[in-house]
C-alpha cells in the first residue's frame, strides 16, 4: 500500500518562515529540565524578546522555545498562532526591519 503524505498546514508553514528571521540561541539543558534551562539562560544572558531557544535535552532530542514579551512558549504553538504575537508582526514586515530587529536584539 502507498503511504499517504501528511498534510502541511499553511498557517504553520508561514509561522515557521517568520521564526527563521528571529535570533536563535542553542544551549544544553544539563541537569535541569529543558524549560528551566531556557529560563535560566534567558535571565543570565539578558535576552530580549523575540528570540528562539533550541535546548538540547540529549543527543537525539532538541526542544524549541520562543521567548516573547508575554513569556516562554513552545515553538510549535507559536508557529501555528504567530498572529497572536505582536513582536512577530515587526519581523513579518520589510527586510530592513528584520535586519534591525536582529542587530538590536543581540
Amino acid at each position: 500500500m502507498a503511504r499517504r503524505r501528511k498534510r502541511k498546514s499553511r498557517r504553520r508553514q508561514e509561522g515557521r518562515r517568520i521564526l527563521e528571521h528571529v535570533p536563535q540561541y542553542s544551549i544544553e539543558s544539563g541537569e535541569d529540565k529543558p524549560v528551566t534551562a531556557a529560563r535560566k539562560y534567558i535571565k543570565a544572558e539578558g535576552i530580549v524578546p523575540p528570540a528562539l531557544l533550541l535546548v538540547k535535552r540529549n543527543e537525539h532530542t532538541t526542544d524549541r522555545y520562543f521567548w516573547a514579551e508575554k513569556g516562554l512558549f513552545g515553538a510549535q504553538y507559536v508557529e501555528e498562532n504567530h498572529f497572536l504575537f505582536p513582536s512577530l508582526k515587526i519581523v513579518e514586515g520589510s527586510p530592513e526591519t528584520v535586519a534591525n530587529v536582529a542587530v538590536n536584539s543581540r
Side-chain angles (χ1 to χ4, degrees), residues 2-56:
R3 245 180 138 151
R4 284 185 60 182
R5 283 185 150 186
K6 189 174 180 182
R7 186 178 169 275
K8 292 188 177 179
S9 162
R10 283 192 182 158
R11 186 166 51 165
R12 185 158 177 213
Q13 283 180 323
E14 183 181 348
R16 184 165 274 225
R17 187 180 47 77
I18 292 168
L19 283 182
E20 286 176 359
H21 299 292
V22 173
Q24 293 187 8
Y25 302 89
S26 295
I27 62 172
E28 303 227 1
S29 65
E31 294 295 315
D32 294 323
K33 290 182 179 180
V35 71
T36 306
R39 289 185 185 283
K40 284 182 178 178
Y41 185 78
I42 289 167
K43 189 172 184 177
E45 298 295 318
I47 296 174
V48 199
L52 195 63
L53 286 103
L54 308 173
V55 184
K56 195 168 174 83

Side-chain angles (χ1 to χ4, degrees), residues 19 22-23 25 38-39 42-43 46-53 64-75 78 85 87-88:
L19 283 182
V22 173
Y25 302 89
R39 289 185 185 283
I42 289 167
K43 189 172 184 177
I47 296 174
V48 199
L52 195 63
L53 286 103
R64 297 169 53 235
Y65 297 102
F66 179 73
W67 176 235
E69 293 86 4
K70 302 174 184 179
L72 194 62
F73 295 87
V78 176
F85 296 88
S87 60
L88 291 178

Side-chain angles (χ1 to χ4, degrees), residues 89-105:
K89 289 187 174 113
I90 297 168
V91 175
E92 261 184 303
S94 61
E96 54 276 351
T97 306
V98 172
N100 289 339
V101 168
V103 169
N104 293 335
S105 64

